[in-house]
Structure formats: C-alpha cells, structure tokens
Amino acid sequence: MTADHPAFDAIVLAGGAARRLGGVDKAAVTVGGRPLLERVLDACRDAARTIVVGPPRPTRRPVHWVREDPPGGGPLAALAAGAVHATAPLVAVLATDLPFLTPDTARTLIGALPPAADGVLFQDSEGRDQPLTAVYRTAALRAALGALPATRHAPLRTLLPALDLHRLAGASTTFDCDTWAEIATARDRIKEHGTVLDEWIAAAATELDIEPGEHRTVLLDAARDVAHAVARPAAPLTTFLIGYAAAKHGITPAEAARRVTALAARWEAEKDSGKDSGEDSGKTPGGEAVRQRRDQDGQGQEGKEASAGTSSGGPESKEGHPA
C-alpha cells in the first residue's frame, strides 16, 4: 500500500450457522460461479495478512485460520478472535456473505478514515451501520473489545459505542446474502449488462489463477477499438493473438495491446481516406484516433451500419449525413 493507503490486515468472519439457508456452509455458496468466501478474499488482495475466522476450508489465496471461542459464539466473539492476530495498524473487517465487495471497498474506507477517528464503516441504503464492512485502527479495536464484559453470544452492536467512528452512507457493497432469495438477487445482479463483463473476467482470472491487473483495461480497450475499426468478430481473436504474442516474444500484454490499437487506428484511417480521399481525415496517429472517433460519433459499428442503410448513396460524414 502507498502512503495514501497504509498497510492493513483483513479479518473475514466465516463461521456463521446460516440458519436461514437451512444450515448449509454459506461460505461455499456460489455467486457468479465463485464461492462467497473466495469473492471476499479476492476483495482482500491488498491486505498484508488475511485472517479468516471459521472452520478451515480450501482457499485459493493464502489465509491465516483461527476459530472463535466457543465455535459458533457469534460475530463479536469471532471478531475478538481475529483481532488477536492482526499486526498492521489498520484492519478491514468483512463478512463472508458480501458478494459485491471489491479491492476498492477497503481502499475507499481507508481513504475516508479521519486522523482522529477509531474507524470508518459503511451504512446501508436505510442508514443502518454495517460494522462488518468497516476499517478500524487495530489498537482501538482491541481496546474496545477488551473493555466489553463479554463477547460470547453478545450482539455486535455493543462494540460500536466504545469507538469514535466515521460513517459513509449508502454503499451498494453492503448487500448481504442471508436468505436464498437474497442469493438469487445477487446471482441475477451480476448478470446485468453493466456488470457481467467485469464479473466474468474476474471469475475467469480466478479460475485460471492469474491477476489481470492493469492489463485488463488495456485489453478491453484494444478489443473495443478493433471491433469498431475492423469488425466485431475480430475482437475476441485479437485478444487471443495479444496473449499469444506476449507469451511468445516476452512482451507485456499491455505493449502488445498498444501495438494492435495503433494498427486498428491505421486500418480505420485507410477506411476513411477511401470514403473521402480529397479531405484530411482529421485523425491523429496511433490508438487515440480510434478513441476520438468513437467518442465523437457515439454510435460504434451499429451506428455506422444504420447510417449506411439510410444513405441516399453519396459519401457520408461522421454523423451519417451526406457530406
């Protein structure tokens, strides 16, 4: 982590009885093809150490397993058990049934933590505190837990009055899955148009044990540029070629994508010059040309095809009107 986002540990509570789910292992229930626990652990990727409180299970990411005393003693007892093992100055505390957490969740909380506060937590859309979607100062959390008369089977809300907390309102990441109806809602939500691509890439990267990191955006941009400048079916094959070239020649996927984007720009420029060879195409060199055109016409390939269908037969401008 940087100076703006100091080092932190993560505590994930994964030992609930899941009575409203019929007693199944909630952490193993899948949303988007990934177990709930794995989704939360992926959101903890920036943590120096991830402590999971609950019965040990196989996980893709390395974690430190602990168990509350007694097992099943409730979330406050679980939090107390996890806090003993935290060593970083800050600790993110997360529940295992939050399918929409991302690495940005902890970053946002840490960035919003006032210097004098003991912690910062999200509130749900109805203004209720969510102490299991929060970041605490480790020393303050331990002191507050130690001052409680008991943690076994005690309500989690009894902890909050002992801490000076900052609150962030209305976070969608606080959606939790306590019932099968809520799990069905979560499964439907990740398949919506605005989220399905990112969800699929994250799931595929997890399955392939890779970290897409910064290359993901570069590859998506390249695929979109190729779809616009060349043809839609060219986009998936192009991303394959980018990966193949990166492996064969030892270049980064980002560099391979930049080369392809520049090629797509040249391809598009030739198309434009063929339409109207008597005028300057107005293109800038490289990948920026494709992005500028896409931003200006706002239509993509569909708009160009629709414009062609309504043309009177003459050459057309970017807006689809006769030039």
Side-chain angles (χ1 to χ4, degrees), residues 118-185:
D118 294 327
V120 55
L121 55 75
F122 279 123
Q123 294 179 319
D124 64 18
S125 58
E126 297 179 1
R128 292 173 296 202
D129 288 346
Q130 301 298 309
L132 299 184
T133 316
V135 166
Y136 303 96
R137 298 193 189 279
T138 305
L141 178 63
R142 283 184 182 147
L145 288 166
L148 293 174
T151 59
R152 299 179 184 180
H153 303 294
L156 189 61
R157 64 178 178 272
T158 59
L159 173 69
L160 302 187
L163 295 165
D164 179 13
L165 298 174
H166 180 63
R167 290 163 170 82
L168 298 179
S172 61
T173 53
T174 60
F175 181 90
D176 60 1
C177 293
D178 285 328
T179 67
W180 286 114
E182 289 168 340
I183 288 171
T185 297

Side-chain angles (χ1 to χ4, degrees), residues 183-264:
I183 288 171
T185 297
R187 288 170 171 170
D188 288 341
R189 184 182 294 183
I190 67 166
K191 296 175 183 176
E192 292 173 355
H193 176 71
T195 57
V196 66
L197 183 58
D198 283 341
E199 285 286 349
W200 169 251
I201 290 173
T206 299
E207 190 67 23
L208 297 172
D209 196 23
I210 60 174
E211 294 283 357
E214 64 180 14
H215 301 319
R216 182 173 71 176
T217 300
V218 175
L219 291 171
L220 288 175
D221 284 346
R224 291 176 184 130
D225 287 345
V226 168
H228 175 85
V230 183
R232 284 185 184 179
L237 180 57
T238 299
T239 57
F240 165 78
L241 292 173
I242 289 171
Y244 182 78
K248 182 175 181 179
H249 300 300
I251 61 176
T252 66
E255 173 59 24
R258 279 191 287 269
R259 295 183 189 181
V260 165
T261 299
L263 173 62

Side-chain angles (χ1 to χ4, degrees), residues 12 27 29-45 59-61 94-103 105 177 186-187 189-191 195 198-200 202-203 206:
V12 178
V29 173
T30 62
V31 173
R34 293 191 289 162
L36 285 170
L37 177 58
E38 292 290 352
R39 296 179 70 92
V40 177
L41 293 181
D42 188 57
C44 300
R45 67 175 64 171
T59 59
R60 292 180 180 271
R61 293 182 176 274
L94 306 167
T96 193
D97 60 355
L98 298 166
F100 300 116
L101 298 179
T102 70
T105 303
C177 293
R187 288 170 171 170
R189 184 182 294 183
I190 67 166
K191 296 175 183 176
T195 57
D198 283 341
E199 285 286 349
W200 169 251
T206 299

